[in-house]
Amino acid sequence: LSLRADFPTSCVELGILRDEYNAMLERLESAVQRVRQFSGDASHELRTPLTILRGETEVTLHWAKTPEEFRAALQSNMEEIDRMGRILEDLLTLAKSESGELPLSIGQLSLSDLVQELYIQGRTLAEGKDITVSMHHGADSEVSIRGDDLRLRQLFLNLLSNAIRYTSEGGRVDIDVSRCDDTVTVAVIDSGIGIAPEHLPHIFERFYRTDEARNRAHGGTGLGLAIVKWITEAHDGTIRVTSTVNEGSRFEVCLPLAGPTLGEESKDKN
Ligand code: ADP
């Protein structure tokens, strides 16, 4: 379906030029295309766990005999249900963020405390995977910023869980906080599988996942980085990623500091 139509006479009456009209149509067409792509991708992503769920349930009903077999099937079904739940939750977050239904709740917060708590969460996430999680707070004193506490936690937790997810046993994940003039940078660095240059421009797109990520049944939703991008931009921040395959990745979020550094303000250099 094309939205292109003849140049309406009402536009002439309203003083809208043909070029302006065509540009408007192009924007509208690309928005429709994005919605189509999004709903197509969303149904595809939800169909996969649903198919697995159905297949496994059918097999179990036919073949399972012992309580152990039923238990194992239920356990596996539970994992797929959780995965669908995560996809739906992330989809809802993104849809609401686009329609402006998810306003940020901005307040003064200690980024240093937030990152410290994140570091502890990261250590818990890495437990059992033999990954060393460390934190380096490069700022001289506590860093305070204005932002949405919950969303910033979600942003950094997404980056941190990715770093752990895509790093093998024996690897390292570091969180690095540094201040520069009126911005603060939080970097999440891992020694994981890395991202090939051809994938880098796309990883913030919804549902974009490298084959590596798909093959490894990681349980991600493919929406984490799209949410990270939205939260960063909603805070007027920027995100940068550098990566080398088989060496690791570095995700750097740079946020503007709206408030002064707490404590010794005279030391507020880097
Ligand atoms: P997912 O839920 O699949 O992790 P994301 O949106 O968070 O989805 O990330 C998109 C894709 O970017 C991932 O599927 C993976 O291919 C790649 N990626 C993200 N973070 C990392 C990382 N730290 N190391 C390697 N690849 C990563």
Side-chain angles (χ1 to χ4, degrees), residues 88-102:
L88 280 173
E89 205 172 297
D90 284 353
L91 275 174
L92 213 59
T93 302
L94 282 170
K96 282 187 178 171
S97 72
E98 287 216 330
S99 61
E101 282 172 68
L102 218 56

Side-chain angles (χ1 to χ4, degrees), residues 139-163:
D140 282 348
S141 50
E142 194 176 341
V143 178
S144 160
I145 71 166
R146 275 174 66 75
D148 184 320
D149 188 86
L150 275 181
R151 293 295 167 203
L152 288 175
R153 277 172 203 276
Q154 186 178 18
L155 186 174
F156 294 121
L157 193 59
N158 279 358
L159 289 182
L160 192 62
S161 42
N162 275 354

Side-chain angles (χ1 to χ4, degrees), residues 18 35 63 102 130 157 166:
R18 186 179 286 269
V35 170
W63 302 104
L102 218 56
D130 187 25
L157 193 59
Y166 299 112

Side-chain angles (χ1 to χ4, degrees), residues 158-159 162-163 165-166 190 192-195 203 205 208-210 213-214 219-226 243 249 251:
N158 279 358
L159 289 182
N162 275 354
R165 185 180 298 148
Y166 299 112
D190 66 63
I193 62 172
I195 305 161
I203 55 169
E205 291 166 14
Y208 190 90
R209 310 181 78 195
T210 62
R214 284 183 191 278
T221 64
L223 294 168
L225 286 183
S243 187
S249 310
F251 286 80

Side-chain angles (χ1 to χ4, degrees), residues 5 10 18 24 40 68 106 121-122 135 174 176 200 253 265:
S10 51
R18 186 179 286 269
M24 259 159 45
E68 289 72 30
I106 303 285
Q121 271 177 299
M135 190 187 82
D174 298 304
D176 188 279
L200 274 181
V253 177
E265 289 186 34

